[in-house]
């Protein structure tokens, strides 16, 4: 029998991160807003209870919610990313088999663990994560990933579980009852349209899907739905490497805090996006062969000239060097730039033609870097990354990045980056 799989999910992750360093927010409704403080992307349970929905524009949040102490927070991805890394580091102390699934979720494997003590082990894991990071998590344990998702959802919604729920077996009465009360639309990987089609065919619960003929599901829908049904029956069919390869390109783009026609501002934004893309490129040990730069106006400002343009330029050779990538991105912007004053809302930089750093193949017409040049480049980039990791992001940058430039995000409600900025570290007070 295959070892159980656990899904660890941080509860209301963004809102919980905001509460770690601001205890006064506990018990209050907390809402996290998207880039430029546009719409709701995360909510605490108290905010959910007030009827605030995901995607709600910030200016549509009912004014009366303020009477309940509603706290608006600008997205603080630097803090969230660092807190996610701390959770991952903690999980690795409980099992060597940890696979991050998203910023707030991870799969855990328990090969060789005693299943009779596994629930207690995961309770200890949950308490340790909370003690070391301040973040609450829920743990679902089951024979397959799809069942672990359902178990995690049950653990999160039922306080009596203590935040940990383990499905004993597919045919266990408790498992069958959970499947019977789970709507088919709540199953991991089943979208709204597929759910509607299944319901029209009388398959409206997870139990009904598990009892459907797998070959019929494959014929009528897809192999993906067949796998999901088999997973509900306890047959492990979904592996993490079934996910699409995300290393074909890297895109960094963002709407400006204010629309602008200032070339200096846009050059600065392109430079920052190219630098961030290069950092991500090195993190996944890839090299890029080309750079695409995109500019876009606001389609809702129809009284102004509209423009949505892009250009792709090759790099001299596959590289992860920030300076080469920034230089090529700036050359691309120079070719895109129009002399008339067009007001832009967004720009982006995309790295393309990615290859693995250890599997690079040179074109016969390409001039390769010498070993010395490559070693100097690697050493320089490693030093750059170490300085920024030690002293905070953007400690060392290519060119200036003004915090008050029009392209910078609006973040009127952003909390401190408590764990990554020296000047924003939390203070301690003796009493």
């Amino acid at each position: 029998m295959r070892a159980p799989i656990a899904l660890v999910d941080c509860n209301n992750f963004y809102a919980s991160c905001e509460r770690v360093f601001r205890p006064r927010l506990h018990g209050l409704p907390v809402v996290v807003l998207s880039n430029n403080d546009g719409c709701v992307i995360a909510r605490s349970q108290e905010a959910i209870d007030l009827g605030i929905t995901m995607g709600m524009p910030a200016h549509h949040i009912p004014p009366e919610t303020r009477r309940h102490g509603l706290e608006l927070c600008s997205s603080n991805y630097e803090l969230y990313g660092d807190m996610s890394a701390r959770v991952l580091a903690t999980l690795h102390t409980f099992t060597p088999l940890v696979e991050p699934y998203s910023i707030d979720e991870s799969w855990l494997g328990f090969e060789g663990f005693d299943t009779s003590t596994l629930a207690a082990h995961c309770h200890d894991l949950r308490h340790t994560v909370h003690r070391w990071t301040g973040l609450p998590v829920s743990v679902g344990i089951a024979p397959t990933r799809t069942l672990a998702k359902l178990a995690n959802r049950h653990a999160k919604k039922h306080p009596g579980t203590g935040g940990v729920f383990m499905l004993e077996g597919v045919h266990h009465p408790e498992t069958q009852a959970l499947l019977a009360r789970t709507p088919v639309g709540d199953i991991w990987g089943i979208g709204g349209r597929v759910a509607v089609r299944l319901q029209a065919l009388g398959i409206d619960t997870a139990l009904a899907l598990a009892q459907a003929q797998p070959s019929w599901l494959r014929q009528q829908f897809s192999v993906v739905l067949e796998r999901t049904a088999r997973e509900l029956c306890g047959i492990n069919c979904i592996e993490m490497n079934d996910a699409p390869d995300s290393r074909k390109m890297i895109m960094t783009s963002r709407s400006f805090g204010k629309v602008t026609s200032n070339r200096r501002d846009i050059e600065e934004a392109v430079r920052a996006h190219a630098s961030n893309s290069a950092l991500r490129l090195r993190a996944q040990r890839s090299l890029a062969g080309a750079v695409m730069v995109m500019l876009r106006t606001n389609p809702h400002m129809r009284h102004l000239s509209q423009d949505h343009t892009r250009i792709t330029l090759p790099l001299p050779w596959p590289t992860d060097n920030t300076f080469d990538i920034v230089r090529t991105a700036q050359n691309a912007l120079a070719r895109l730039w129009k002399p008339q004053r067009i007001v832009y809302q967004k720009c982006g930089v995309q790295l393309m033609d990615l290859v693995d750093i250890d599997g690079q193949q040179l074109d016969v017409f390409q001039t390769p870097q010498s070993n010395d040049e490559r070693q100097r480049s690697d050493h320089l980039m490693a030093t750059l990354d170490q300085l920024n990791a030690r002293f905070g992001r953007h400690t060392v940058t290519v060119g200036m990045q003004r915090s008050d430039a029009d392209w910078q995000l609006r973040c009127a409600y952003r909390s401190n980056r408590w764990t990554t900025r020296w000047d924003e570290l939390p203070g301690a007070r003796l009493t």
Side-chain angles (χ1 to χ4, degrees):
M1 179 179 175
R2 183 162 178 166
I5 296 169
L7 177 69
V8 177
D9 184 11
C10 298
N11 302 340
N12 306 116
F13 179 59
Y14 290 174
S16 295
C17 287
E18 296 291 344
R19 284 172 164 170
V20 169
F21 298 98
R22 293 193 287 171
R24 69 175 184 80
L25 297 183
H26 285 280
L28 296 179
V30 177
V31 166
V32 179
L33 302 174
S34 63
N35 289 340
N36 290 315
D37 297 339
C39 59
V40 176
I41 59 170
R43 307 155 294 166
S44 67
Q45 187 58 50
E46 294 82 0
I48 295 172
D49 294 341
L50 289 176
I52 297 173
T53 58
M54 289 290 285
M56 176 184 286
H59 60 276
H60 285 175
I61 295 176
E64 57 268 21
T65 58
R66 296 286 187 172
R67 295 199 304 268
H68 299 274
L70 178 70
E71 185 81 18
L72 296 180
C73 301
S74 299
S75 50
N76 190 345
Y77 295 117
E78 193 168 331
L79 173 65
Y80 308 152
D82 186 66
M83 295 298 288
S84 175
R86 291 170 184 240
V87 172
L88 275 177
T90 307
L91 298 180
H92 275 286
T93 66
F94 284 85
T95 174
L97 303 175
V98 179
E99 297 177 352
Y101 176 59
S102 66
I103 192 171
D104 62 343
E105 295 176 288
S106 292
W107 301 109
L108 273 60
F110 291 107
E111 194 73 39
F113 282 71
D114 184 355
T115 55
S116 66
T117 60
L118 189 54
H121 184 69
C122 288
H123 276 289
D124 187 27
L125 176 153
R126 181 174 180 270
H127 292 313
T128 303
V129 170
H130 189 265
R131 187 167 64 249
W132 290 5
T133 69
L135 295 173
V137 300
S138 298
V139 185
I141 314 162
T144 69
R145 297 179 194 274
T146 303
L147 288 172
K149 270 277 190 179
L150 293 181
N152 183 281
R153 188 168 177 267
H154 181 82
K156 189 176 294 186
K157 289 181 174 292
H158 294 82
T161 63
V164 177
F165 183 64
M166 182 173 179
L167 291 177
E168 297 293 342
V170 176
H171 301 295
H172 192 280
E174 194 172 31
T175 302
Q176 294 290 298
L178 175 62
L179 295 177
R181 64 175 178 266
T182 300
V184 72
D186 288 345
I187 301 172
W188 178 46
I190 294 184
R193 292 183 181 180
V194 173
V196 169
R197 287 181 60 194
L198 287 169
Q199 289 164 356
L201 295 170
I203 301 174
D204 54 359
T205 67
L207 182 62
L209 181 61
Q211 293 171 343
Q213 186 67 28
S215 58
W216 178 82
L217 290 171
R218 182 171 188 163
Q219 181 182 16
Q220 296 295 319
F221 293 87
S222 66
V223 66
V224 175
L225 188 62
E226 178 195 4
R227 289 178 180 177
T228 298
R230 291 185 183 276
E231 288 249 324
L232 292 173
C233 294
I235 303 170
N236 203 303
C237 301
I238 301 174
E239 301 292 344
M240 288 304 291
N241 57 15
D242 288 338
D245 186 2
S246 61
R247 304 208 307 170
K248 295 179 180 177
M249 59 185 65
I250 290 176
M251 181 71 175
T252 305
S253 65
R254 196 166 291 145
S255 296
F256 302 150
K258 302 176 184 176
V259 293
T260 182
S261 61
N262 187 303
R263 181 168 179 174
R264 179 191 175 196
D265 282 351
I266 296 174
E267 285 177 345
E268 195 174 304
V270 166
R271 192 164 58 237
H273 293 343
S275 297
N276 289 336
S277 294
L279 177 63
R280 293 167 58 192
L281 187 71
R282 291 192 293 276
Q284 69 176 37
R285 292 184 56 77
S286 296
L287 305 174
V291 178
M292 187 271 285
V293 173
M294 172 271 293
L295 290 175
R296 193 183 76 184
T297 54
N298 188 338
H300 302 293
M301 300 175 70
R302 295 176 181 171
H303 60 288
L304 299 176
S305 298
Q306 294 295 305
D307 187 30
H308 189 176
T309 184
R310 64 185 63 200
I311 188 173
T312 302
L313 295 183
L315 287 155
W317 46 70
T319 184
D320 60 6
N321 185 289
T322 295
F323 298 99
D324 293 337
I325 291 169
V326 168
R327 186 181 305 111
T328 302
Q330 296 286 49
N331 290 340
L333 177 62
R335 295 195 189 187
L336 284 179
W337 193 257
K338 294 177 172 60
Q340 61 268 36
R341 291 178 64 83
I342 296 178
V343 179
Y344 289 103
Q345 181 205 24
K346 184 176 185 179
C347 76
V349 174
Q350 183 170 292
L351 303 185
M352 306 171 67
D353 299 340
L354 304 194
V355 296
D356 188 86
I357 198 168
D358 298 317
Q360 173 187 5
Q361 290 185 346
L362 294 175
D363 189 278
V364 68
F365 300 108
Q366 209 170 42
T367 303
Q369 280 182 296
S370 69
N371 286 336
D372 287 345
E373 288 175 323
R374 181 68 203 173
Q375 288 175 3
R376 284 198 299 270
S377 174
D378 290 346
H379 181 69
L380 178 60
M381 293 301 102
T383 302
L384 184 71
D385 293 344
Q386 288 168 7
L387 288 170
N388 285 324
R390 181 176 180 183
F391 298 107
R393 290 184 64 185
H394 311 307
T395 298
V396 182
T397 62
V398 179
M400 185 171 61
Q401 295 185 20
R402 294 167 296 138
S403 60
D404 59 344
D406 286 344
W407 68 272
Q408 293 281 10
L409 290 175
R410 290 196 306 272
C411 46
Y413 311 105
R414 195 196 66 207
S415 58
N416 285 351
R417 286 139 314 173
W418 305 99
T419 62
T420 57
R421 299 291 179 113
W422 284 107
D423 57 341
E424 297 180 14
L425 290 177
R429 184 173 57 190
L430 297 176
T431 57

